Amino acid sequence: DFSAAAEALDIIRLNPSTVQLSWPAQTLDAGVEYNLYRSTLPYFNVGDTGVTEMNDTAFVESGGTVTYDDAVLGDVTDSGYFYAYGLQIVCSNGFKSDLSDQVGKIEFELFETNTTDFSWVGLVLENESITDTQELANDIESHIFSGTVDVLTVGKWNLIGQGTTNYNDVTGTSIYDVFVKQPYRIEVDVTGSTSDSVIWSQVGKLPEITEDTYTLDETATTDFAWILQPLDRTDITTSDDLATAIESSGGVNVLTVGRWNGTGQGMTNVAPGGSLFDTRFGYPYRIEVQLTNGGPVIWP
């Protein structure tokens, strides 16, 4: 079943700079061809603008598995922080499998400063080895592009209490479950420095596109919620776009959109219709809301 084989595309972090794609080799057809595609946008189709076909002369077949190494890690620029991959198998008779479920990599910069050492990241890609805060901390410590880092705490936003609930990785206390598509605050100690940054490389399967992911609500104090810009909302490129998309769900006005400034260790907040900043799919943002019809709003 060539379509099933194409769905078996996997990705690992081979070394600090390189990901390795792998899939089962086909033995039913000696003339089979493997087409591996890469895009800077998720959920792509073959033929979309910006989709690149990988060089098949670099494929390595051994022990019933085909692998391809791609040195793409250590890049947090707009054009390099995310890559998605998909596989298509072509038989000698011209039959083409469906494009596989896509896998990818996404990267976040983590900061240590002379004051506090917090960064906000997203658990964006499905990874069966990351189910709780301890495993998330271990993955971060094991998947740094250059240098080494110790994770001190992992925090999640408490909507009702309007503050963070923290896991302490130093003592291993207050472990809680983590979930794909959710943002987390990471506190780190970069080895050998009091003012530096490192890049965490996250790899895994792109999750299914779903609705009703984030709850927005008002409280008796502040009215903040942390979300990830959905991976499939590549049409959103600015804070104004994000506010408009949220308000289109109805029943909510967005007062501010905020992002964490790792260097300055504080929030950069903008009101829709005024100044704005660029956003990235998969990245975390703090949304301040006013509800117009009462009760929480679920978005998207």
Side-chain angles (χ1 to χ4, degrees):
D1 187 333
F2 291 96
S3 295
E7 292 174 2
L9 180 64
D10 193 20
I11 186 171
I12 62 170
R13 182 181 179 272
L14 183 64
N15 58 50
S17 64
T18 305
V19 297
Q20 183 174 83
L21 290 302
S22 64
W23 59 92
Q26 283 298 304
T27 58
L28 301 178
D29 186 342
V32 71
E33 178 181 337
Y34 304 106
N35 294 336
L36 179 67
Y37 298 95
R38 186 183 74 188
S39 175
T40 57
L41 298 179
Y43 309 108
F44 65 87
N45 295 305
V46 176
D48 285 353
T49 301
V51 174
T52 301
E53 184 174 348
M54 301 292 95
N55 182 0
D56 60 6
T57 62
F59 296 168
V60 176
E61 184 172 340
S62 176
T65 300
V66 184
T67 59
Y68 175 81
D69 300 343
D70 203 12
V72 294
L73 300 181
D75 188 349
V76 289
T77 63
D78 287 343
S79 60
Y81 79 96
F82 176 88
Y83 279 120
Y85 298 85
L87 177 71
Q88 185 180 67
I89 294 178
V90 183
C91 299
S92 58
N93 62 6
F95 171 80
K96 295 182 179 180
S97 73
D98 295 332
L99 192 66
S100 69
D101 292 340
Q102 293 176 24
V103 299
K105 71 98 181 184
I106 190 169
E107 303 190 72
F108 297 93
E109 193 168 9
L110 310 177
F111 295 87
E112 179 172 354
T113 78
N114 292 321
T115 56
T116 52
D117 310 311
F118 295 115
S119 302
W120 279 87
V121 305
L123 185 53
V124 179
L125 304 171
E126 293 182 354
N127 188 323
E128 293 180 353
S129 66
I130 305 177
T131 63
D132 61 34
T133 47
Q134 190 170 57
E135 292 173 346
L136 176 57
N138 290 341
D139 189 89
I140 292 172
E141 291 174 348
S142 302
H143 296 89
I144 297 300
F145 168 66
S146 179
T148 58
V149 69
D150 290 321
V151 174
L152 305 181
T153 63
V154 178
K156 66 178 178 180
W157 185 249
N158 184 328
L159 183 64
I160 297 174
Q162 291 290 288
T164 55
T165 300
N166 296 308
Y167 155 72
N168 188 320
D169 194 53
V170 178
T171 61
T173 55
S174 303
I175 297 175
Y176 56 82
D177 292 339
V178 296
F179 300 95
V180 71
K181 301 186 181 181
Q182 295 303 314
Y184 297 97
R185 191 184 72 173
I186 310 299
E187 182 184 12
V188 300
D189 177 24
V190 178
T191 303
S193 178
T194 58
S195 181
D196 201 356
S197 69
V198 294
I199 297 174
W200 170 42
S201 307
Q202 180 186 148
V203 302
K205 181 180 176 181
L206 273 62
E208 292 185 7
I209 299 173
T210 57
E211 299 180 349
D212 301 340
T213 306
Y214 305 109
T215 301
L216 310 175
D217 205 356
E218 293 183 87
T219 77
T221 56
T222 51
D223 310 313
F224 296 118
W226 277 89
I227 69 169
L228 298 185
Q229 180 176 314
L231 200 61
D232 57 296
R233 293 302 303 270
T234 58
D235 58 308
I236 297 173
T237 61
T238 70
S239 51
D240 270 7
D241 292 341
L242 183 56
T244 298
I246 292 171
E247 290 180 343
S248 67
S249 62
V252 60
N253 293 325
V254 174
L255 303 181
T256 62
V257 177
R259 65 177 176 184
W260 183 250
N261 182 330
T263 304
Q265 290 292 289
M267 295 297 303
T268 298
N269 300 301
V270 296
S275 58
L276 54 80
F277 55 74
D278 292 338
T279 64
R280 291 175 168 180
F281 54 83
Y283 264 51
Y285 300 99
R286 191 181 73 174
I287 309 300
E288 182 184 13
V289 301
Q290 178 186 56
L291 302 185
T292 59
N293 295 327
V297 169
I298 309 299
W299 184 79

